[in-house]
Amino acid sequence: MERQQIIRKILDHKIVAVIRMEDANKLLNVVDAIYKGGVDIIEITMTVPGAINLIEKTAEKFGDSVLIGVGSVLKKETAQDAINAGAKFVVSPIFKEEIIDLVHKNNLPAFPGCFTPTEIYKAYESGAEIIKVFPADILGMQFIKAVKAPIPEINLMPTGGVTLSNIKDWIQAGACAVGIGTALLDKTAIKENNYQLLTENAQKALENLKNIN
């Protein structure tokens, strides 16, 4: 899948599951659970132990059925390692132009993390297809709406503060997609191997997207 196809899928599906967990041995089960619930775009963060190896294993198991990206990327070398392992998009908590350049050289999209309108526009000028608004729970939905008013062409994806029940609200405020972690990937459920709950959470998330005006 090439760069524009990847972006199109994210804009169409609108939900990126952000996986940040301590027990790496359960990651494939987690991906399988939310995939069964209909969420097939995931971001494996570099804070997961052995993240690069897990990206490779996930890519081998799910192939094109699941769109796999890497998150929490702080260095271009990390981005390249993840891409080599099978990551199809790269997400950062920060805006770093050299990471965007490296990812684009691999014909893949980069989503830098930004907090201010100036950062957002600089990232946009650097070619970032989607800007991760982070941490979005501090900025709120009104921030998305306010920034989109003068710069409607920018794609903003909030991460932080997204729940199963407010995804639709974020999209209606102007977000092109959302990154959702804890609310979708219940830590207690994972600890107790209750993967059915994760499947149900994924279904609820998708249900919340229905009937968007």
Side-chain angles (χ1 to χ4, degrees), residues 198-212:
L198 302 188
T199 299
E200 292 170 3
N201 282 350
Q203 292 169 338
K204 288 177 183 176
L206 290 171
E207 185 70 25
N208 187 248
L209 276 175
K210 289 184 177 179
N211 304 315
I212 290 179

Side-chain angles (χ1 to χ4, degrees), residues 18-20 42-48 51 55 68-74 78 82 87 89-93 111 132:
V18 181
I19 300 181
R20 191 184 303 277
I42 67 161
E43 171 192 331
I44 299 174
T45 66
M46 286 303 301
T47 56
V48 177
I55 289 169
I68 304 162
V70 61
S72 301
V73 174
L74 302 175
T78 305
F89 61 93
V90 176
V91 186
S92 303
F111 311 149
K132 171 181 173 176

Side-chain angles (χ1 to χ4, degrees), residues 134-153:
F134 175 79
D137 50 344
I138 294 174
L139 295 166
M141 296 178 195
Q142 289 302 314
F143 177 83
I144 302 289
K145 188 177 292 186
V147 172
K148 288 283 288 185
I151 333 171
E153 65 271 23

